[in-house]
């Protein structure tokens, strides 16, 4: 009897170890944070409030051609701005998978920039004051063979955590004398 229970406890320990291992090698996949577009979102919300205000005021005044024109002048830019916000969010995909770092741009056509972690030379984090207050920023990756920044993760949440995790997983190269 004890033998059966011992087998089950060892098996649960093995499963827990496998789950921890799979979580640590899990891919990082992200899109730009919506917080990075705070100004566009604020303007869209302001336009929406104006649209509702003039719509209610115009309906109370009996409607008319002038109210429709004002609503069109507010509604069309609001819809275009919302479309731009959604496009900016869905056009970028940032991935760290195994030993490759990729930045993929595009919805229909694709522009993929990638760099191998073993070739990583430098990882920079850039944050404006607004990005720092909102907890977002840009993470730039450079390789030993490239002249400048080759892959950039634009407007991602917690950029310092991404930098630290990539630097921990990058192989340390010994300096040559």
């Amino acid at each position: 009897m004890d033998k059966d229970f011992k087998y089950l406890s060892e098996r649960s320990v093995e499963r827990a170890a496998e789950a921890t291992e799979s979580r640590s090698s899990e891919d990082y996949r992200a899109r730009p944070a919506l917080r990075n577009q705070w100004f566009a979102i604020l303007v869209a919300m302001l336009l929406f409030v104006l649209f509702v205000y003039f719509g209610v005021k115009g309906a109370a005044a009996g409607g008319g051609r002038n109210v429709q024109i004002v609503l069109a002048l507010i509604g069309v830019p609001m819809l275009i701005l919302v479309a731009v916000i959604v496009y900016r969010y869905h056009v970028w995909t940032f991935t760290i998978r195994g030993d490759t770092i990729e930045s993929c741009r595009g919805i229909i056509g694709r522009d993929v920039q990638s760099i191998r972690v073993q070739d990583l030379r430098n990882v920079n984090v850039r944050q404006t004051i607004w990005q720092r207050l909102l907890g977002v920023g840009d993470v730039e990756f450079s390789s030993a063979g490239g002249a400048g920044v080759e892959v950039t993760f634009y407007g991602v949440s917690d950029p310092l955590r991404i930098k630290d995790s990539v630097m921990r997983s990058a192989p340390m190269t010994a300096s040559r004398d």
Side-chain angles (χ1 to χ4, degrees):
M1 263 325 224
D2 290 335
K3 190 177 195 181
D4 292 335
F5 290 121
K6 187 176 180 182
Y7 170 76
L8 290 175
S9 67
E10 288 174 0
R11 196 166 137 193
S12 64
V13 170
E14 288 174 6
R15 283 185 184 163
E18 288 173 6
T20 305
E21 182 179 316
S22 68
R23 264 188 257 123
S24 65
S25 66
E26 197 170 82
D27 296 346
Y28 171 81
R29 182 178 304 274
R31 294 187 182 279
L34 286 174
R35 291 176 289 180
N36 199 43
Q37 300 186 53
W38 67 271
F39 186 74
I41 293 171
L42 184 68
V43 170
M45 289 176 19
L46 178 66
L47 288 174
F48 178 74
V49 169
L50 288 174
F51 183 80
V52 170
Y53 175 76
F54 285 119
V56 170
K57 282 292 210 183
R65 189 79 174 141
N66 290 341
V67 173
Q68 292 174 349
I69 292 172
V70 169
L71 290 178
L73 287 175
I74 295 172
V76 170
M78 179 185 67
L79 291 175
I80 290 172
L81 191 56
V82 168
V84 167
I85 292 168
V86 169
Y87 175 77
R88 283 181 184 168
Y89 177 76
H90 285 287
V91 76
W92 290 98
T93 305
F94 309 119
T95 309
I96 300 174
R97 156 180 347 130
D99 63 344
T100 305
I101 299 170
E102 287 185 345
S103 172
C104 186
R105 186 182 76 183
I107 294 175
I108 297 172
R110 290 284 185 187
D111 179 22
V112 178
Q113 298 171 329
S114 65
I115 186 173
R116 294 184 321 177
V117 173
Q118 65 188 14
D119 296 335
L120 200 59
R121 175 185 52 133
N122 199 10
V123 180
N124 297 325
V125 173
R126 295 197 185 272
Q127 290 179 301
T128 64
I129 189 164
W130 294 111
Q131 286 178 323
R132 186 154 182 195
L133 289 172
L134 296 171
V136 297
D138 303 338
V139 183
E140 302 173 337
F141 301 96
S142 305
S143 74
V149 175
E150 294 171 13
V151 176
T152 304
F153 289 6
Y154 296 102
V156 292
S157 297
D158 202 4
L160 293 175
R161 181 182 56 85
I162 296 169
K163 176 187 176 187
D164 290 342
S165 67
V166 168
M167 293 304 287
R168 271 187 267 118
S169 67
M172 298 296 167
T173 55
S175 60
R176 295 180 185 165
D177 293 338

